[in-house]
Amino acid sequence: SMHFFDRAHQLWGGYAIIGNHIPVAAGHAFASKYTGDGAVTLVFMGDGAVGIGPVHEGMTLAGIWKLPIVFIVENNQYSMGTPLSRTLPVEDITSRAAGYGFKSDRFHVTSVAETRERIAAAVKRAREDNQPSLLELITYRFRGHSMSDPAKYRQKEEVETWRMQDPIERTQRALQLLHGVDEATLDKLDGEIIAEVDAAYEFADSTPQPPPEARFANIMGGY
């Protein structure tokens, strides 16, 4: 996912070095404030990234310059295979917000609609008041960190407890129980999405390698 990039839609991709994308995001927000384009930068990180030095640097700049940016921490309880209790001295990551002059919000992610509304409120503050925010979305990672991670460091009961709160699972149940969407319709939708992803993969896999000069395309700014 760190290589997904779409300049036309202002999706600037990920970053291979944990936490180092935070100053880059602050730079994007600074550009928006400088040019007055009205854009708000949303930057995502995991709970394992918040102890990295550049995260502090980027947030400090955002607070000093009052940048239109929303920092979103997806707290999924594990930094790779290490539980949160062993990586952070204070569980509430948003307690740091006051030190940067940020607004903050912290909540368990159980509803797609609620998550959209609370992030939208932070975006509104950033756009209208140049007020940065630090949001902590408490969630859970159901699989291993990568294909090589069997996730044997946690109990099945823990996973199942969190699964009952998962917003995707809850949305599916709501569609079925409250809105009468049948299993066949959901399966059809799943099939269409899988086909779309498979087609994109096949297109990428069969596309010829770009010419050497392509390395200069999609570079923001000049030298």
Side-chain angles (χ1 to χ4, degrees):
S1 61
M2 68 183 67
H3 301 297
F4 291 158
F5 179 95
D6 190 339
R7 183 173 184 171
H9 293 87
Q10 298 293 297
L11 174 62
W12 297 104
Y15 210 82
I17 309 301
I18 300 298
N20 279 248
H21 64 301
I22 302 304
V24 177
H28 279 282
F30 176 80
S32 291
K33 185 174 182 180
Y34 186 79
T35 61
D37 64 9
V40 173
T41 299
L42 273 69
V43 57
F44 298 82
M45 72 197 89
D47 51 280
V50 298
I52 304 297
V55 174
H56 169 66
E57 295 171 6
M59 290 186 178
T60 297
L61 290 175
I64 291 172
W65 292 335
K66 299 190 181 304
L67 301 180
I69 187 169
V70 180
F71 298 94
I72 301 177
V73 179
E74 298 177 55
N75 180 353
N76 64 20
Q77 314 303 311
Y78 287 92
S79 302
M80 293 191 179
T82 307
L84 192 68
S85 59
R86 296 181 59 189
T87 60
L88 293 176
V90 177
E91 181 179 337
D92 184 350
I93 295 172
T94 61
S95 64
R96 307 176 181 205
Y100 300 116
F102 292 177
K103 295 292 185 180
S104 65
D105 192 13
R106 183 175 192 261
F107 59 98
H108 281 81
V109 178
T110 58
S111 164
V112 173
E114 180 193 17
T115 302
R116 179 187 176 93
E117 290 171 3
R118 294 176 81 152
I119 293 177
V123 170
K124 186 173 186 290
R125 284 195 300 268
R127 177 170 289 121
E128 296 180 357
D129 305 323
N130 285 316
Q131 174 64 66
S133 294
L134 175 61
L135 275 55
E136 181 180 358
L137 278 57
I138 303 171
T139 182
Y140 195 78
R141 190 189 72 220
F142 294 106
R143 299 186 180 184
H145 178 76
S146 66
M147 293 176 65
S148 60
D149 177 7
K152 294 182 178 180
Y153 39 80
R154 52 192 180 180
Q155 300 298 315
K156 180 180 179 181
E157 292 76 15
E158 174 185 315
V159 176
E160 291 306 313
T161 298
W162 278 96
R163 193 176 296 281
M164 294 299 295
Q165 305 176 49
D166 181 68
I168 303 300
E169 298 275 353
R170 287 166 60 94
T171 298
Q172 179 173 322
R173 290 198 296 271
L175 286 171
Q176 293 173 304
L177 299 177
L178 301 179
H179 301 283
V181 179
D182 58 38
E183 193 77 31
T185 300
L186 292 174
D187 288 343
K188 181 175 181 292
L189 181 60
D190 277 345
E192 291 172 355
I193 294 170
I194 291 170
E196 181 180 354
V197 173
D198 286 346
Y201 175 84
E202 292 299 328
F203 170 78
D205 194 47
S206 61
T207 299
Q209 289 292 321
E213 58 268 20
R215 67 189 187 278
F216 298 114
N218 295 314
I219 294 177
M220 187 178 182
Y223 293 101

